[in-house]
């Protein structure tokens, strides 16, 4: 059993680690990356990239599901969880984030992977598939449009621009960290639990132990700043010079995403030069893989089996 503590009285238990292995991935950059893995070594790699404000734990349901036929790895991305947290804002530039993914895949002993990303992890997954097409067998993205779609749509849609207003707020120094952490991280809790944005309106509720795991992760020194630094570099890579995705793509979208409008989902098809499957999940929130894990897992299996068969994914 693995336990994590935050403060004097906060104590959260993560029982998934009874069956998963926690590891560290050192890099030539000097950073260490924490990841949780399951499944036999040598099986095809399925790499999971989390969003904001999350960490590897957001993929707990998928790690259990896909470890039977894949080497599943959920990483704490740079600045998150137990991975190293560079202090400089410039350390979270896009080129560094993409190199992180490449280095992690290679460190694990692979030259390609099935790449799965949600939210910010989805942005990085889209861009990794664009820049390293030979390393992505299939791309699976949850509640995150192609970056060019997001840029173009937001400029034309006042309602989406309003929903994205947090991006501009997060550009400020120190104040966003304060607002997210005051009153025992009340604003952070609301993102996951409120009626308008939270998990579990029609799916799986976030348990008190789950919530404690998130609060522990983001109560560590520098944790909020590391996560927010992704936003503080977001304008440095837009608009994109390269846009086309050559891998087969599955895009899963929660119908009741409070932050991203559904109209963007179908438009992503314009940039995909391979098979594209879009599934809109009724009643699901932005936190799709935690909100509706059974539906998400079933749709991912269906996509993985298309064209190849579930048993044939070998490097």
């Amino acid at each position: 059993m693995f336990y994590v503590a935050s403060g004097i009285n906060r104590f959260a238990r993560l029982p998934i680690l009874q069956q998963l292995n926690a590891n560290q991935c050192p890099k030539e950059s000097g950073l260490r990356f924490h990841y949780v893995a399951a499944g036999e070594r040598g099986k095809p790699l399925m790499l999971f990239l989390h969003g904001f404000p999350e960490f590897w734990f957001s993929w707990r349901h998928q790690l259990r599901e896909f470890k039977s036929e894949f080497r599943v790895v959920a990483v704490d991305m740079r600045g998150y969880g137990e991975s190293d947290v560079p202090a400089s804002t410039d350390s979270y530039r896009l080129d560094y984030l993409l190199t992180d993914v490449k280095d992690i895949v290679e460190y694990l002993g692979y030259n390609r992977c099935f790449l799965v990303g949600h939210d910010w992890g989805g942005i990085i997954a889209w861009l990794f598939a664009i820049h390293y097409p030979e390393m992505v067998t299939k791309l699976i993205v949850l509640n995150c449009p192609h970056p060019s779609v997001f840029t173009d749509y937001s400029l034309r849609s006042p309602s989406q621009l309003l929903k994205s207003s947090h991006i501009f707020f997060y550009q400020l120094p120190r104040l966003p960290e304060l607002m997210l952490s005051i009153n025992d991280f009340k604003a952070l809790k609301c993102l996951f639990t409120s009626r308008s944005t939270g998990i579990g309106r029609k799916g799986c509720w976030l348990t008190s132990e789950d919530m404690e795991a998130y609060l522990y992760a983001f109560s560590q020194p520098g944790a909020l700043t590391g996560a927010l630094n992704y936003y503080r570099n977001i304008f440095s890579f837009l608009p994109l010079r390269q846009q086309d995705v050559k891998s087969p793509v599955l895009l899963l979208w929660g119908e009741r995403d409070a932050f991203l409008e559904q109209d963007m989902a179908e438009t992503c098809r314009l940039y995909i030069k391979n098979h594209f499957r879009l599934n809109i999940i009724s009643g699901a929130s932005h936190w799709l893989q935690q909100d509706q894990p059974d539906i998400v897992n079933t749709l991912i299996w269906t996509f993985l089996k298309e064209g190849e068969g579930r048993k044939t994914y070998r490097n």
Side-chain angles (χ1 to χ4, degrees), residues 230-248:
Y230 283 66
Y231 288 96
R232 291 163 180 158
N233 282 274
I234 193 170
F235 298 112
S236 64
F237 65 86
L238 296 172
L240 300 183
R241 295 179 182 175
Q242 296 174 253
Q243 304 183 80
D244 291 345
V245 178
K246 298 178 181 179
S247 307

